[in-house]
């Protein structure tokens, strides 16, 4: 039953564009209307109609511990007893900075902001400021938040809603944005050969989560590192999704590649609004007020948000990532078996606690092959699961997020629901 969600959505559409505060939540690409969520606990959420769902969206990634983890809530309660914001430094900012620098191999200094978008746009400004160069090289289907420079052939909500280019973004801005297909080292090299010392930075999701999950081919990330070294550009890993998810040390720890700058978000806020960018000391010392590259934010380093992020990382540090990866691998294998038994062509890309089901005969290795997957079947899959209490991403260009709170019963119920799917 979705009566209350429908009522709330009708009201919301009168006052909020599309009835949502972020486009991908609208569920329009899967021919549905959004559930309004009243509560979450562990692996599950409860809708405004009181219906329970196994949640594989997990707020798009921040909740690797699951919803309402007791230690996160306790840390928030304690912080909030002292107020909500001071606009001045507080110890919690230092403690979270220490935890991030200790965990992420390439980060020697870090600046907190309030979203992944803010972190990515600031990292780009820093890269341009440090190199004196203008151009950005990103990958087709890569998503780095909604700052102007990145909204050229982006993934996530831009792909989901098939937004062609992006109204409101001046041509002059995206004219400095170069695009190559993900996993195409030769295309990246060709752009470097053409633009040589004009490229300030390469932005890449070390595992791409915004065209559905697409993994780097062996050698792809290494080729970007080598190109940046050869041409004097900065390599920026956007780890807003993968940071602390693929491994506690991030995808850069998993793949053993050191970027010059890293963009973080989601998990480091534990569900509260937090983003961060960090990297080599000599680069970060260019950021105001230490250096000339300006960036600021009223709620940057907010004490409550820092407390939630710190509590999250402290719990994650002691958890068994390999065991979670193994559980997700087992689940994906069983799901592959269900599709195979039904003669349904499907490819399930997975890494650590993320997976995406592509209804495709062919392997999905970039945005073009992701777009070739059968979106109609994805929509039917989404609706079928939602009707049976399983909540997956309302877009074929997102990745499912499994948490440490997901257990056998969640996987069993999900497989049981998938087993009744008919196309
Ligand atoms: P935010 O500004 O939404 O906090 O972060 C932007 C961002 C940057 N980089 C990557 C790799 C990201 O995935 C994101 C945001 N992710 C999307 C979903 N994949 C957020 C969901 C939404 O837009 O509502």
């Amino acid at each position: 039953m979705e009566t209350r969600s429908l009522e709330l959505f009708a009201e919301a559409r009168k006052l909020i564009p599309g009835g949502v505060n972020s486009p991908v939540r609208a569920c329009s690409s899967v021919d549905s209307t959004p559930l309004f969520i009243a509560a979450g606990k562990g692996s599950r959420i409860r809708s405004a109609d009181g219906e329970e769902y196994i949640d594989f969206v997990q707020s798009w990634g921040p909740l690797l511990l699951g919803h309402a983890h007791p230690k996160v809530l306790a840390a928030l309660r304690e912080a909030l007893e002292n107020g909500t914001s001071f606009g001045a430094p507080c110890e919690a900012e230092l403690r979270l900075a220490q935890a991030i620098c200790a965990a992420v191999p390439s980060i020697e200094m870090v600046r907190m902001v309030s979203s992944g978008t803010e972190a990515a746009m600031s990292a780009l400004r820093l890269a341009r400021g440090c190199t004196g160069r203008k151009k950005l090289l990103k990958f087709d289907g890569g998503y780095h938040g909604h700052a102007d420079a990145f909204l050229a052939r982006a993934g996530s909500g831009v792909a989901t809603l098939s937004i062609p280019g992006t109204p409101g973004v001046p041509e002059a801005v995206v004219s400095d944005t170069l695009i190559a297909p993900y996993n195409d080292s030769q295309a990246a090299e060709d752009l470097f050969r053409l633009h040589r010392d004009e490229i300030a930075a390469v932005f890449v999701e070390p595992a791409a989560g915004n065209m559905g999950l697409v993994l780097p081919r062996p050698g792809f990330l290494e080729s970007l590192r080598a190109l940046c070294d050869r041409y004097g550009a900065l390599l920026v890993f956007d780890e807003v999704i993968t940071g602390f998810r693929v491994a506690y040390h991030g995808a850069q720890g998993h793949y053993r590649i050191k970027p010059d700058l890293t963009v973080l978000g989601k998990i480091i806020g534990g569900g509260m609004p937090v983003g961060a960018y960090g990297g080599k000391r000599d680069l970060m010392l260019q950021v105001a007020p230490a250096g000339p590259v300006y960036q600021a934010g009223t709620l940057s380093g907010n004490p409550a948000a820092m407390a939630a992020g710190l509590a999250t990382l402290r719990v994650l540090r002691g958890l068994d990532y390999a065991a979670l990866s193994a559980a997700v691998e087992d689940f994906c294998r069983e799901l592959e078996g269900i599709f195979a038994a039904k003669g349904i062509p499907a490819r399930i890309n997975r890494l650590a606690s993320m997976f995406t089901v592509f209804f495709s005969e062919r392997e999905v290795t970039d945005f073009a092959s992701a777009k070739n997957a059968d979106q109609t079947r994805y929509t039917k899959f989404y609706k079928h699961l939602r009707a049976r209490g399983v909540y997956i991403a309302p877009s074929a260009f997102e990745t499912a997020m499994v948490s440490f709170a997901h257990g056998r019963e969640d996987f069993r119920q999900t497989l049981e629901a998938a087993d009744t799917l008919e196309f």
Side-chain angles (χ1 to χ4, degrees), residues 21-25 57 59-62 114-120 142-147 155-158 204-211 238-242 263-266 273-275 397-399 401:
N21 282 312
S22 197
V24 72
R25 302 177 191 170
V57 176
S59 182
W60 305 100
S114 297
S115 72
T117 290
E118 203 182 344
Y143 182 70
H144 307 290
H146 64 84
S156 184
V158 178
V204 65
E205 294 175 63
N210 289 290
M211 40 182 127
D238 182 338
E239 295 225 45
V240 168
I241 288 180
T242 58
V263 176
L264 294 169
K266 297 184 194 277
V274 178
F397 298 111
E398 298 289 351
T399 177
M401 304 282 185

